[in-house]
Amino acid sequence: MKKLLLLVTAVCSCFAANAQTSKGSQTLGFNLGYTYDKSDETLHNSFDGTVSDAKTKVTDFSVGPVYSYFIADKWDIGVSLQYDALVENDYPIDGMFGEKETVNRYSTAIFLRKYCMFTDKIGIRSGPHVGYYREHAKAVGTGTEANPDNDLNSTTHAFSAGLNLDLVFYPSKNIGVAASIANLQYTHAKTKTLPSHDDKTDEKFNLNVISNGLLISVFYVFAGK
């Protein structure tokens, strides 16, 4: 009986609006993210056909503003802007050929989110998002066999759509903090590369979870009621 009452209470709390998530409320804040990944990779040198095993490390820092408006109790719609600085290092195991790639990415997205609050201070939110980004990347060869003539510059335009899940916490009436738990995303990207002219189109699905890094949002709440 006790477990049933706790379940009913949790379900009811998802539908009971508090001031922070009531219709007419607005939020203004910023997103801040850091992602780190380490893996093994096989590098293919498109210029001379050589193959090299490497250890790959990727770091990604991101920051940008975000705004949302509650169109109904527990439902907000909003827009975000973001800048990413990404560095990928491929360290050659044999010391012959590796690569360092630096990426500058500018993106924007619109989103719709549903809030489920367990208490007045803590809950989760989830919903779809669609976005666009443009990035410039520069790949520089490393290792004893690196040739500066093989360095590449590329520009990518991409559209994305996905579904995310966040943990939300309100330490005070007008301040909120959210942390990304998971994000499932589809991306369609077109890349032009110079001087090789190795242009390509990519389509892929990515699932990013909290174990891959940390994305937090800190925002101020303008209460509607």
Side-chain angles (χ1 to χ4, degrees), residues 45-50 92 95-100 138-153 194-196:
N45 187 344
S46 59
F47 290 93
D48 57 21
T50 59
M96 292 178 59
F97 177 77
E99 189 175 70
K100 179 179 180 180
K138 183 176 182 179
V140 178
T142 59
T144 58
E145 299 297 320
N147 185 347
D149 293 336
N150 296 342
D151 295 347
L152 300 174
N153 288 277
L194 295 173
S196 68

Side-chain angles (χ1 to χ4, degrees), residues 6-22 70 73-75 114-126 166-173 175-178 219 221:
L6 289 174
L7 177 61
V8 171
T9 301
V11 172
C12 290
S13 67
C14 292
F15 295 97
N18 58 10
Q20 291 94 336
T21 61
S22 62
F70 281 83
D73 290 348
K74 302 292 183 179
W75 288 91
K114 165 66 176 177
Y115 288 68
C116 180
M117 301 301 297
F118 306 124
T119 70
D120 287 343
K121 290 185 175 294
I122 192 167
I124 58 174
R125 67 187 185 190
S126 181
D166 299 332
L167 178 67
V168 185
F169 174 65
Y170 293 96
S172 67
K173 179 180 178 181
I175 300 296
V177 180
F219 52 91
V221 181

Side-chain angles (χ1 to χ4, degrees), residues 180-208:
S180 176
I181 299 174
N183 180 42
L184 177 63
Q185 183 168 292
Y186 164 79
T187 304
H188 177 88
K190 291 185 177 182
T191 301
K192 293 184 178 294
T193 303
L194 295 173
S196 68
H197 295 285
D198 183 22
D199 301 341
K200 61 181 180 179
T201 299
D202 287 328
E203 293 184 347
K204 61 182 178 180
F205 284 92
N206 284 331
L207 176 60
N208 297 317

Side-chain angles (χ1 to χ4, degrees), residues 69-160:
Y69 176 80
F70 281 83
I71 56 175
D73 290 348
K74 302 292 183 179
W75 288 91
D76 73 344
I77 188 171
V79 60
S80 65
L81 301 174
Q82 187 165 297
Y83 167 73
D84 286 74
L86 183 148
V87 178
E88 176 176 336
N89 276 293
D90 299 314
Y91 298 95
I93 295 176
D94 56 17
M96 292 178 59
F97 177 77
E99 189 175 70
K100 179 179 180 180
E101 183 177 15
T102 56
V103 178
N104 293 291
R105 178 184 300 156
Y106 300 88
S107 59
T108 183
I110 58 174
F111 54 81
L112 175 67
R113 301 180 298 206
K114 165 66 176 177
Y115 288 68
C116 180
M117 301 301 297
F118 306 124
T119 70
D120 287 343
K121 290 185 175 294
I122 192 167
I124 58 174
R125 67 187 185 190
S126 181
H129 59 83
V130 295
Y132 164 82
Y133 72 79
R134 181 183 185 277
E135 70 177 31
H136 176 74
K138 183 176 182 179
V140 178
T142 59
T144 58
E145 299 297 320
N147 185 347
D149 293 336
N150 296 342
D151 295 347
L152 300 174
N153 288 277
S154 64
T155 301
T156 300
H157 299 268
F159 295 92
S160 64

Side-chain angles (χ1 to χ4, degrees), residues 11-83:
V11 172
C12 290
S13 67
C14 292
F15 295 97
N18 58 10
Q20 291 94 336
T21 61
S22 62
K23 181 179 180 180
S25 294
Q26 302 176 66
T27 69
L28 180 63
F30 65 92
N31 293 328
L32 182 65
Y34 171 75
T35 302
Y36 175 81
D37 190 31
K38 183 178 180 181
S39 62
D40 295 327
E41 184 173 330
T42 300
L43 298 178
H44 297 270
N45 187 344
S46 59
F47 290 93
D48 57 21
T50 59
V51 177
S52 177
D53 293 327
K55 297 287 186 180
T56 298
K57 294 181 180 179
V58 180
T59 57
D60 183 5
F61 294 92
S62 61
V63 64
V66 58
Y67 167 82
S68 75
Y69 176 80
F70 281 83
I71 56 175
D73 290 348
K74 302 292 183 179
W75 288 91
D76 73 344
I77 188 171
V79 60
S80 65
L81 301 174
Q82 187 165 297
Y83 167 73

